[in-house]
Amino acid sequence: SMKMVAASKMKIAQNRLEPALAFYETVDRAFAHLEPDAEQLAFYEQEAAAAGAASGPKTTLVVLAATDRGLCGAVPTNVVRGALDAASAAERRGNTVAFASVGSKGAEGLVANRRGNAVGAVALEVGQKPTTFVELSYFADVLLRTEPDEIVVVFNKFYNVLRNELTTVKIDGLDRMRAASKWQETEFDDEDCLQSLSEFRFAAAVWRAVHDNQATEHAVRYTSMDGASTNAAELVDSLTLEFNKYRQASITTELSEIVGGMAAILEG
């Protein structure tokens, strides 16, 4: 029954993923080829360094798209591993790392790896009902209030029932976006527009990551339940064969005793 439920939920998750993925790819194309102008980037980095000297080291926010339930193989474990790798890379650059998780399994994995103190937010039961962009935008807005210098989103990318891949999406800092030569031909009213664009891209990335990970979760659970059903059937067949062997041996023993007793009577 769990296999059938997982198959049904996987189909629903796939239907939700298609528009979410198309939406994210459309948004992401707007940020493609953002090669920063060297002079502009150096200027903004100097400003950031001067501000950082007073405010402390840069902060990297690592967002995990995990799950709330088990029986889905290594889906949450892979996400936690990817998040820890991203955190280690950021710490080697001297950054302070904070975590946020969509799903309790991500937070539990971080706690198990002694990173619980760095978990700032956990969103529970996301995806039990159709998740809207507004809901995840609110979660993204809560995370952005901490004003991280860079953001990394870690999730499992869904391909099909048998294939998924750990994926990391990095949201460039505002300095690199401001210095991009692509925007030199665009006239903005103020720099808040770039800030809004960066926040919108982050919300779209979280939305896509959550739907990708949900489809992967149900696909892996379906595969696990299918394997469990196959193993259970094989175990039943094996035990049935073993039972039949003992039963046949018992019958043979009883027949031998009856024949032997009858022979002894006739001889007597």
Side-chain angles (χ1 to χ4, degrees):
S1 61
M2 290 187 66
K3 173 184 172 182
M4 297 178 64
V5 171
S8 176
K9 289 185 176 181
M10 180 183 66
K11 182 61 178 177
I12 295 173
Q14 284 182 267
N15 292 337
R16 295 177 185 173
L17 172 61
E18 291 177 4
L21 182 58
F23 178 76
Y24 170 76
E25 290 176 345
T26 302
V27 172
D28 195 54
R29 278 198 296 270
F31 297 89
H33 311 298
L34 288 182
E35 294 81 7
D37 181 86
E39 294 183 0
Q40 289 287 335
L41 182 59
F43 171 75
Y44 287 120
E45 285 181 343
Q46 288 176 359
E47 280 192 341
S55 61
K58 290 185 176 181
T59 302
T60 298
L61 174 63
V62 182
V63 181
L64 296 76
T67 66
D68 287 295
R69 290 168 177 76
L71 297 177
C72 54
V75 171
T77 305
N78 288 342
V79 172
V80 172
R81 175 171 53 83
L84 293 174
D85 290 343
S88 298
E91 289 171 341
R92 286 194 293 270
R93 298 194 303 270
N95 292 10
T96 301
V97 176
F99 296 95
S101 175
V102 180
S104 60
K105 294 297 181 181
E108 291 173 5
L110 293 172
V111 171
N113 285 275
R114 300 181 181 179
R115 291 278 192 162
N117 292 336
V119 179
V122 180
L124 302 177
E125 301 297 333
V126 175
Q128 298 308 307
K129 296 181 179 180
T131 306
T132 66
F133 183 71
V134 174
E135 292 172 341
L136 290 177
S137 294
Y138 174 77
F139 181 65
D141 182 63
V142 171
L143 299 181
L144 290 171
R145 292 174 191 173
T146 61
E147 299 183 354
D149 295 288
E150 63 178 13
I151 302 172
V152 179
V153 182
V154 185
F155 60 97
N156 288 288
K157 183 178 180 180
F158 175 82
Y159 287 97
N160 53 51
V161 177
L162 299 177
R163 184 188 173 200
N164 61 80
E165 181 181 355
L166 182 66
T167 303
T168 301
V169 173
K170 183 178 179 181
I171 309 298
D172 291 328
L174 196 57
D175 293 337
R176 292 184 65 84
M177 182 175 293
R178 288 172 177 169
S181 57
K182 183 175 183 177
W183 307 122
Q184 303 305 317
E185 300 176 358
T186 306
E187 184 175 342
F188 295 107
D189 293 335
D190 52 45
E191 290 193 353
D192 287 342
C193 292
L194 292 177
Q195 178 73 31
S196 298
L197 284 172
S198 179
E199 293 172 357
F200 183 71
R201 185 189 184 193
F202 172 52
V206 172
W207 197 42
R208 175 265 175 99
V210 168
H211 284 84
D212 246 319
N213 207 73
Q214 286 174 357
T216 300
E217 174 190 354
H218 296 306
V220 173
R221 184 173 290 118
Y222 169 80
T223 304
S224 299
M225 293 302 102
D226 183 55
S229 300
T230 302
N231 293 338
E234 292 176 354
L235 179 60
V236 169
D237 291 341
S238 175
L239 292 175
T240 301
L241 179 61
E242 194 72 17
F243 170 77
N244 289 337
K245 286 181 179 179
Y246 282 112
R247 179 172 173 271
Q248 188 62 46
S250 175
I251 293 172
T252 302
T253 301
E254 291 179 0
L255 289 175
S256 298
E257 292 174 350
I258 293 172
V259 171
M262 182 61 66
I265 292 172
L266 294 175
E267 288 178 359

